[in-house]
Amino acid sequence: MSLKKYLTSRVFFGQVLLAFAIIVVLAYLFMHWLTFTTDHGHEIAVPDLRKLTEEQVEEKLDELDLDYELLDSVDFRGDFPKYSVVEQDPMPGTKVKVGRKVYIKINSSGFSSVRIPDLIEKTYREAVPTLKALGLEAGTITYVPNLGKDMVLEMRFKGRNVKAGDRVLKASKIDLVLGDGKESYQEEPADSLATPATDTEAPNEQ
């Protein structure tokens, strides 16, 4: 049989159809296998792990076939319990596949201490960001007569004067005494400077 006759024969078309059917079946089986191995379409919502201990996190994620990895601890935050989760990635509610790792950061056991910066003779505007950069806050502001307007004259913590280098816990509030921009004293009136008159009358004789 010539090639031309073979290409137009039923045998050839039957073999082409058979080969096409085999390709379709193989493609279907491959896609089915791929879906099974990647668990495509089966996603889990990441739970909210914040304020949970590491032990509670492990227990909760095991139930969902998820894993976790502890990155590190962060500076103590008073609105979270000690040793509880402060941050997580992915965020709560995110859809992930089975086996996905959730990365967590744990709250430390308490505030660490920092040294008070030297704010004397700095302006209030300079003092506030300096305190914030160290994890401190500006507390009560008191004004006293001084030509340096809004200039820091004293630093106080819990009612006592403190100086640069003293240690306090992070998140502490440092009270500041500022100048009001006015004269530190006022000249007394000229009348008040006059020598007071003395009693020149002799005492009465007895």
Side-chain angles (χ1 to χ4, degrees):
M1 180 184 293
S2 66
L3 179 61
K4 184 176 180 180
K5 285 184 178 181
Y6 173 73
L7 293 176
T8 57
S9 67
R10 288 185 177 182
V11 174
F12 174 74
F13 283 112
Q15 290 177 339
V16 169
L17 290 174
L18 180 61
F20 180 75
I22 291 173
I23 292 173
V24 169
V25 171
L26 290 177
Y28 172 78
L29 292 175
F30 175 76
M31 293 302 296
H32 185 71
W33 172 82
L34 188 64
T35 299
F36 176 77
T37 55
T38 60
D39 202 22
H40 180 71
H42 183 200
E43 294 184 326
I44 302 169
V46 176
D48 190 351
L49 305 175
R50 291 169 296 186
K51 298 190 176 181
L52 298 182
T53 64
E54 188 175 353
E55 292 76 15
Q56 291 171 323
V57 167
E58 184 174 8
E59 186 177 325
K60 193 162 191 174
L61 293 183
D62 278 347
E63 294 173 356
L64 299 171
D65 291 328
L66 296 175
D67 200 359
Y68 79 96
E69 183 173 332
L70 176 62
L71 295 180
D72 54 21
S73 60
V74 299
D75 287 337
F76 182 71
R77 290 178 53 176
D79 52 337
F80 284 82
K82 295 178 181 179
Y83 305 114
S84 68
V85 176
V86 175
E87 300 176 17
Q88 68 176 87
D89 181 33
M91 295 295 289
T94 304
K95 298 286 187 178
V96 297
K97 294 178 182 177
V98 170
R100 171 69 185 270
K101 275 187 179 180
V102 180
Y103 298 92
I104 60 173
K105 291 184 179 180
I106 298 291
N107 201 17
S108 60
S109 60
F111 289 114
S112 57
S113 65
V114 293
R115 293 185 184 275
I116 297 176
D118 188 0
L119 304 177
I120 302 301
E121 296 188 356
K122 293 185 181 294
T123 65
Y124 180 72
R125 243 181 218 187
E126 295 172 319
V128 171
T130 302
L131 290 172
K132 285 186 176 179
L134 295 172
L136 301 173
E137 298 179 33
T140 303
I141 304 301
T142 305
Y143 285 92
V144 297
N146 190 280
L147 289 175
K149 182 171 176 56
D150 292 331
M151 184 173 69
V152 178
L153 303 176
E154 296 177 25
M155 301 181 292
R156 296 175 182 170
F157 177 63
K158 293 185 177 180
R160 62 181 178 84
N161 280 24
V162 291
K163 61 184 184 300
D166 289 348
R167 283 194 171 273
V168 295
L169 294 178
K170 275 192 175 182
S172 295
K173 291 185 177 182
I174 306 300
D175 301 328
L176 301 175
V177 178
L178 309 179
D180 61 4
K182 299 177 183 178
E183 296 280 352
S184 58
Y185 68 92
Q186 292 183 349
E187 293 185 2
E188 297 182 5
D191 293 344
S192 65
L193 298 177
T195 304
T198 56
D199 189 356
T200 57
E201 294 182 4
N204 294 328
E205 293 183 2
Q206 301 295 327

